[in-house]
């Protein structure tokens, strides 16, 4: 059998690892990438209690929410509202095949559908004391802490690119943290936009972290 | 820039939306039996009012759902937005 084809990240060509620091210091905007997070699209009828129950059970008790533009965040899974009958499951890199199979088996009898969309997007993290200022240069969403709270998510445009935006901090730390799920083909452009937007505040590249390892910043 | 109220997401900037043309167009129930001219009327012919207009909109860069809107084609005022299946609001007073 041939060796496995090496998996390339959407931003690997930028050599971010070589620039990455654990100490962003005085930089106002901290950028990072979380490569290969499992992403699974879930659709089904929220009025169907059996579907909702089956989905929640297959997702370790993480229940799909019907509250628009919010996410349910658990230790191993983020479940983002995308529409009245649509959610995005985000989980640890490498877990997509097993998780999608488990979820599909659970919801299919109740009219639910599951699509593994892991490869469609990568995840850029934007953190630091000036993260909001950098994002505000290209995003129509009001990111004020009172309006866009921990666990809130939104689909919108950032610098004319469609993004799924999540407030990923819990407001206990000193700085906000956002995760942007962006189509791979737009990731290079969006990264460069963010570096440019953050330039006046100082940009630090922070080490890419895997969800399973956790992080001090998170 | 308009703020448009998505029935699910709430107020969002105009750039996230696309207008999908006239709303509340019902497909003929007897589509197999009507004439080509009648079918063409359903498929292609649209009103083009100067004034209030019931329209379909899509929150294309947000939740990607279709909804209905009552919009004034001159002032661009959007009087109401509502989900598919919901009753259409009356025209504002004094208009037809
Ligand atoms: Zn919406």
């Amino acid at each position: 059998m041939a060796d496995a084809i090496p998996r390339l990240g959407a931003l690997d060509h930028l050599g971010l690892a070589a620039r990455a620091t654990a100490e962003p210091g005085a930089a106002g905007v901290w950028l990072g990438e979380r490569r290969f997070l499992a992403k699974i699209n879930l659709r089904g009828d929220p009025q169907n209690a059996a579907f909702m129950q089956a989905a929640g059970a297959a997702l370790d008790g993480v229940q799909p929410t019907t509250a628009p533009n919010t996410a349910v965040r658990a230790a191993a899974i983020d479940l983002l509202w995308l529409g009245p009958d649509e959610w995005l499951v985000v989980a640890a890199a490498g877990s997509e095949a097993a998780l999608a199979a488990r979820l599909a088996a659970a919801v299919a009898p109740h009219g639910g559908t599951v699509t593994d969309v892991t490869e469609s997007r990568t995840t850029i993290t934007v953190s630091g004391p000036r993260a909001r200022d950098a994002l505000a240069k290209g995003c129509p969403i009001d990111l004020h802490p009172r309006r866009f709270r921990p666990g809130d998510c939104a689909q919108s445009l950032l610098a004319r690119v469609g993004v799924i935006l999540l407030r990923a901090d819990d407001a206990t730390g000193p700085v906000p943290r956002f995760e942007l799920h962006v189509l791979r083909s737009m990731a290079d452009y969006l990264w460069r936009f963010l570096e440019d937007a953050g330039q006046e505040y100082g940009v630090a590249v922070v080490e890419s972290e895997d969800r399973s390892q956790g992080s001090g910043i998170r | 820039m308009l703020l448009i109220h998505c029935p699910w997401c709430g107020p969002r900037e105009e750039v996230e939306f696309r207008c999908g043309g006239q709303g509340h167009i019902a497909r003929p129930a007897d589509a197999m039996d009507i004439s080509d001219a009648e079918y063409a009327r359903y498929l292609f012919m649209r009103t083009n009012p100067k004034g209030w207009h019931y329209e379909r909109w899509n929150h294309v860069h947000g939740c990607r759902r279709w909804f209905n809107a009552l919009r004034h084609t001159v002032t661009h005022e959007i009087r109401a937005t509502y989900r598919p299946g919901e009753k259409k609001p009356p025209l504002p007073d004094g208009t037809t």
Side-chain angles (χ1 to χ4, degrees):
Chain A
M1 207 174 93
D3 290 340
I5 297 167
R7 200 178 189 190
L8 293 177
L11 297 174
D12 284 5
H13 62 288
L14 295 178
L16 300 178
R19 291 173 55 197
T21 172
E23 280 299 324
V29 179
W30 313 344
L31 301 177
E33 186 197 11
R34 303 183 68 194
R35 301 192 313 162
F36 309 138
L37 287 178
K39 297 167 210 78
I40 297 164
N41 185 282
L42 169 67
R43 299 201 67 167
D45 178 5
Q47 312 281 351
N48 181 347
F51 161 76
M52 295 293 267
Q53 220 157 47
L59 293 171
D60 304 332
V62 182
Q63 198 66 34
T65 177
T66 54
N69 299 301
T70 63
V72 181
R73 311 199 66 214
I77 287 175
D78 285 344
L79 189 51
L80 282 65
W81 183 97
L82 297 184
D85 57 2
E86 184 174 5
W87 298 267
L88 182 70
V89 183
V90 181
S95 69
E96 59 270 15
L99 188 55
R102 179 153 56 100
L103 189 55
V107 301
H110 308 292
T113 58
V114 169
T115 312
D116 179 359
V117 294
T118 298
E119 305 295 348
S120 67
R121 292 173 189 263
T122 189
T123 305
I124 295 175
T125 63
V126 186
S127 186
R130 306 303 293 273
R132 286 189 181 90
D133 300 290
L135 289 170
K137 292 182 181 183
C139 186
I141 299 287
D142 184 354
L143 298 173
H144 190 279
R146 276 203 306 274
R147 294 288 305 178
F148 200 73
R149 291 156 303 184
D152 281 357
C153 64
Q155 298 159 91
S156 186
L157 295 168
L158 177 59
R160 300 174 298 285
V161 174
V163 291
I164 303 171
L165 184 68
L166 171 71
R167 170 102 183 262
D169 63 278
D170 57 10
T172 56
V175 297
R177 177 187 156 89
F178 301 92
E179 289 184 358
L180 309 173
H181 302 294
V182 59
L183 291 176
R184 277 184 67 111
S185 53
M186 295 294 178
D188 172 86
Y189 164 77
L190 201 66
W191 180 277
R192 289 170 199 267
F193 165 81
L194 288 166
E195 286 226 30
D196 185 56
Q199 197 171 32
E200 63 173 305
Y201 315 117
V203 171
V205 178
V206 293
E207 279 156 14
S208 180
E209 359 112 39
D210 182 79
R211 190 179 181 87
S212 56
Q213 293 164 354
S215 151
I217 298 170
R218 189 174 186 85
Chain B
M1 188 65 71
L2 298 176
L3 274 182
I4 297 175
H5 192 100
C6 169
W8 288 278
C9 302
R12 291 289 188 93
E13 204 168 294
E14 184 183 354
V15 291
E16 294 184 7
F17 296 87
R18 291 288 179 277
C19 182
Q22 187 182 345
H24 297 288
I25 295 169
R27 189 174 192 275
D30 53 354
M32 297 301 283
D33 304 324
I34 63 178
S35 71
D36 285 356
E38 284 170 311
Y39 196 79
R41 200 151 40 237
Y42 147 72
L43 199 57
F44 301 118
M45 302 310 284
R46 298 292 179 261
T47 62
N48 185 24
K50 182 178 181 181
W52 292 106
H53 195 205
Y54 292 101
E55 293 175 332
R56 293 193 314 157
W57 283 69
N58 189 280
H59 191 186
V60 63
H61 294 300
C63 65
R64 287 161 292 128
R65 263 61 196 181
W66 286 97
F67 61 93
N68 292 313
L70 176 57
R71 186 180 71 96
H72 198 286
T73 58
V74 178
T75 65
H76 293 306
E77 178 188 348
I78 294 177
R79 183 57 65 97
T81 55
Y82 48 105
R83 300 177 184 190
E86 289 180 349
K87 212 163 119 48
K88 65 179 180 186
L91 289 169
D93 287 347
T95 59
T96 52

